[in-house]
Amino acid sequence: MAMASFSRRKASTLLSNPLCNNSKYSLSMARGFASSGSDENDVVVVGGGPGGYVAAIKAAQLGLKTTCIEKRGTLGGTCLNVGCIPSKALLHSSHMYHEAKHSFASHGVKFPSVEVDLPAMLAQKDKAVTNLTRGIEGLFKKNKVNYVKGHGKFISHSEVSVDTLKGESTVVKGKSIIIATGSDVKSLPGITIDEKRIVSSTGALALSEIPKKLVVIGAGYIGLEMGSVWGRLGSEVTVVEFAPDIVPTMDGEIRKQFQRILEKQKMKFMLKTKVVSVDNSGDGVKLTLEPAAGGDQSTLEADIVLVSAGRIPFTAGLGLEKIGVEIDNAGRILVNERFATNVPGVYAIGDVIPGPMLAHKAEEDGVACVELIAGKEGHVDYDMVPGVVYTHPEVASVGKTEEQVKTLGVDYRVGKFPFMANSRAKAIDDAEGIVKILAEEETDKILGVHIMAPNAGELIHEAVLALHYGATSEDIARTCHAHPTMSEALKEAAMATYDKPIHI
């Protein structure tokens, strides 16, 4: 029993990934809260995106007087307004069209023709965004969060000056101020985004017509998702990527299979390729390319170019230099394990600090940060934050890739199970994909799980929970899964990890 306990503790160190542990950023949490009659807030949150609005609501739920400042005028940040939510709406709508055009007949559903009503599709997307942003405002009212619409800027470590959207100016005071301003589109040298023919993800969500040729610069999550949307609707999509691989953070084996599937969907890839310039002075857009390692240049023409080279922390105009908040070379605000900056009373969460730039990670940051401010315990393990590419099939993962495990020098086992052998996937005729599990050989403790499948983003959370509680592959394998379900593939992969699967 003692040895088993020791082995589990040893294995747990493989998954620990603390936010930061710099003693110079330590901050005493012994602070009083403002009385109900005071103009000073207990907590002020600058930014109303997933991290910010969740932090504000949690703070209010913990009895702290809270104000949230948001310059957009609608809550939800990039994610809800021009990111996660509208893109998933279009991914779903475009998938429905693609299925109707290519798959319905084999299921006995036939009709003379099917066509895209792009204005209606975009309207459905906008309706979803509007309803959700209004819903957050309703949650603010329910939880008594004061909402200030305007651009906030620090004038001291405890005061934020706000230029409101009504043209007024006010000062919001707080004992604890949380920076949650998110991230912005990363630009590329020599490429000017006009959101017309050279667009960011924001412009790609609102194209007035389906481009005949779409070039995507960057083979990450966002580029592949938006490429999928317009590819399904009829665009000829070419993805240009400087790196040798798509989605570099993905497990290598899964990545290769994923790329093959996207290529079957007629998405073209130009890897190890540098974009030298983009010219939109003519009727279309002309890209000048060259090999990443150097060599002869070539040209590529497009109707629309999507620049999807990543995102950068958004801290411009916040006055951080005025109060002395430290920032690293990547523009990220440095914080300790309590999300505290080097300035007493000032905290930061989400995309503006190190860690994955994901909405759900920002939400967890927000809850943990506020709990710590309130004198409770809070922690986010970034090694257990799931990532999902919402293409079809989706690709979801949590924990270590096989490449990372090899780098650690850990002895491990791998279990895999293809969806071609899953009864539910075969029944619905949607069986492309695989589940891959990595477990430490000595303890059988799960180190990483990678799923490529329809709805992989839903299936991954069993694995997230397993990693959080230090489960073994045998734990999952011996857990009864309903039949027939896609989740049985995870069970079978777990069986393949510690023993043998049944259905292959």
Side-chain angles (χ1 to χ4, degrees), residues 169-222:
S169 182
T170 186
V171 174
V172 180
K173 300 179 180 180
K175 292 185 175 181
S176 298
I177 300 180
I178 302 173
I179 303 167
T181 47
S183 59
D184 200 359
V185 174
K186 181 180 180 181
S187 60
L188 293 175
I191 302 177
T192 301
I193 296 173
D194 59 16
E195 298 298 10
K196 294 178 181 179
R197 287 190 292 178
I198 303 175
V199 302
S200 68
S201 55
T202 300
L205 291 166
L207 298 180
S208 58
E209 59 184 27
I210 300 169
K212 183 178 179 181
K213 292 184 178 181
L214 171 68
V215 170
V216 179
I217 302 176
Y221 285 42
I222 298 171

Side-chain angles (χ1 to χ4, degrees), residues 385-404:
V385 174
V388 184
V389 186
Y390 294 93
T391 49
H392 190 89
E394 295 178 350
V395 181
S397 61
V398 64
K400 304 294 187 186
T401 64
E402 186 166 2
E403 291 75 18
Q404 289 172 327

Side-chain angles (χ1 to χ4, degrees), residues 419 422 459 462 481-482 485-492:
F419 278 89
N422 175 263
L459 297 175
E462 179 180 357
H481 288 61
T485 60
M486 306 287 271
S487 64
E488 288 178 287
L490 182 63
K491 174 186 173 75
E492 293 268 4

Side-chain angles (χ1 to χ4, degrees), residues 471-502:
T472 64
S473 66
E474 185 176 357
D475 289 333
I476 292 180
R478 292 190 179 278
T479 299
C480 183
H481 288 61
H483 174 78
T485 60
M486 306 287 271
S487 64
E488 288 178 287
L490 182 63
K491 174 186 173 75
E492 293 268 4
M495 295 173 70
T497 306
Y498 92 95
D499 189 17
K500 294 181 181 180
I502 297 296

Side-chain angles (χ1 to χ4, degrees), residues 107 223 242 464:
H107 290 272
F242 184 83
V464 177

